[in-house]
Amino acid sequence: MAVQTALTDRVEDLDVGGAAASLDLQIGPPKGPRRRITGAAGDGEYPLVSVIVPTINEARNLPLVLAEIPDAVHEVLIVDGRSTDGTPEAARSAYPSARIMTQEGRGKGDALRCGFEAATGDILVMMDADGSADPAEIPRFVEVLLGGADFAKGTRFCHGGGSADITPLRSAGNAALSTTVNVLFGTSYSDLCYGFNAFWRHCLPAIDVDCTGFEVETLINIRVARAELTVREVPSYERPRIHGESNLRTFRDGGRVLRTILRERLRPAERPPVLHRRRLPYNLGVGLTGETA
């Protein structure tokens, strides 16, 4: 499966439903649940965007992350792993409209599964709570989906991407695991283990998260490939974690990723699920207004 790369922050002359449009998303504090596009292409609803943020003991980081959430976001879901530092309270204070829930099990994979099930948006965005992912990049992912992709996959290792956080050891491990997946599944991923991604709701049956840990990104990337979904890589810059230490453990979690790759390779091939795509009709105009639907 060929994976394309989106190299710009703005998509010009998007052709969606026969209407050419230029989309420019504003960044700012949360303003409301649903936005409306107006412009030369006419009026039309902008797709609802849900942002899912798994957390555990991120009370110092989360308010800084939530302050950067784009204006166009429909809802933010905080899925907490039983934090002991007041993370849910910090989230509620920083972003009063956030939906805050406690995950059923443990681990990042389980938290994302809970968030995916609870999200109500047309587009789902998954991102970390430690400040390494830049919320201002969310419009870049959304534009790629509006341009025809099913899954917008963040990557630090292409032109326009980068990382101020990854260690040489983790980078080498990621490269080796990415190559393994590319050989076994016919993909061309440049970054297998990055947690900043976005996708249309219709991808959920194919993704079907059933793992618990940091291997979740690998599981998702493999399953969207096996389901023959259209994937485009989106350059993203990973910032340093703001406060605290990562819960990721290089060798332990690298081993989990490798076991996930082998398990998915041995899993019997299935017919790709029937996807009920809802990309259209979203009539994109020029600019994002403050009107609510």
Side-chain angles (χ1 to χ4, degrees):
M1 181 192 68
V3 180
Q4 299 171 307
T5 303
L7 296 177
T8 62
D9 294 348
R10 182 181 172 92
V11 175
E12 301 289 349
D13 296 327
L14 233 71
D15 187 5
V16 180
S22 173
L23 181 64
D24 190 9
L25 300 186
Q26 299 172 353
I27 305 300
K31 298 286 183 61
R34 186 187 284 264
R35 318 298 291 172
R36 183 174 292 277
I37 296 289
T38 60
D43 293 345
E45 288 184 352
Y46 182 77
L48 299 180
V49 178
S50 298
V51 177
I52 297 96
V53 186
T55 63
I56 182 165
N57 295 328
E58 297 285 4
R60 297 173 67 194
N61 294 323
L62 196 55
L64 303 175
V65 173
L66 294 176
E68 297 181 294
I69 294 292
D71 179 32
V73 165
H74 156 61
E75 65 180 356
V76 175
L77 293 90
I78 308 298
V79 188
D80 190 63
R82 300 176 182 82
S83 294
T84 58
D85 69 343
T87 292
E89 293 77 13
R92 190 172 292 110
S93 176
Y95 203 100
S97 64
R99 297 174 58 194
I100 302 171
M101 63 193 73
T102 301
Q103 67 182 96
E104 298 171 1
R106 293 184 180 277
K108 183 177 184 180
D110 179 79
L112 286 173
R113 178 188 61 78
C114 293
F116 294 164
E117 291 177 355
T120 62
D122 306 304
I123 290 173
L124 280 63
V125 178
M126 47 188 277
M127 62 178 295
D128 293 337
D130 60 4
S132 59
D134 184 357
E137 293 181 353
I138 290 175
R140 183 186 305 181
F141 286 78
V142 172
E143 288 173 359
V144 167
L145 295 175
L146 293 173
D150 296 303
F151 191 91
K153 180 187 172 302
T155 176
R156 298 161 288 184
F157 303 118
C158 73
H159 180 72
S163 176
D165 186 66
I166 195 168
T167 64
L169 179 60
R170 285 170 49 205
S171 180
N174 189 12
L177 292 167
S178 297
T179 299
T180 301
V181 166
N182 290 338
V183 170
L184 293 179
F185 297 95
T187 55
S188 54
Y189 293 146
S190 63
D191 192 352
L192 184 68
C193 305
Y194 190 42
F196 198 0
N197 303 293
F199 55 90
W200 289 100
R201 168 173 292 279
H202 65 244
C203 297
L204 286 173
I207 291 171
D208 188 26
V209 173
D210 57 4
C211 65
T212 58
F214 283 97
E215 69 275 16
V216 62
E217 291 94 358
T218 296
L219 179 84
I220 290 173
N221 290 331
I222 291 174
R223 289 188 175 175
V224 296
R226 295 192 70 174
E228 301 178 2
L229 296 173
T230 300
V231 179
R232 291 187 66 193
E233 289 199 321
V234 181
S236 175
Y237 186 79
E238 182 182 39
R239 305 180 297 190
R241 163 181 272 273
I242 303 172
H243 299 293
E245 297 181 357
S246 172
N247 293 309
L248 186 145
R249 296 295 177 264
T250 301
F251 292 103
R252 179 198 67 186
D253 294 310
R256 293 179 68 125
V257 169
L258 183 58
R259 288 192 294 273
T260 296
I261 294 171
L262 297 177
R263 185 180 71 244
E264 290 298 302
R265 184 66 181 86
L266 295 174
R267 186 166 60 91
E270 302 173 355
R271 291 176 58 89
V274 176
L275 304 177
H276 301 285
R277 289 179 168 84
R278 296 187 60 194
R279 286 200 295 263
L280 303 176
Y282 291 117
N283 192 16
L284 305 182
V286 182
L288 183 65
T289 74
E291 299 176 14
T292 55

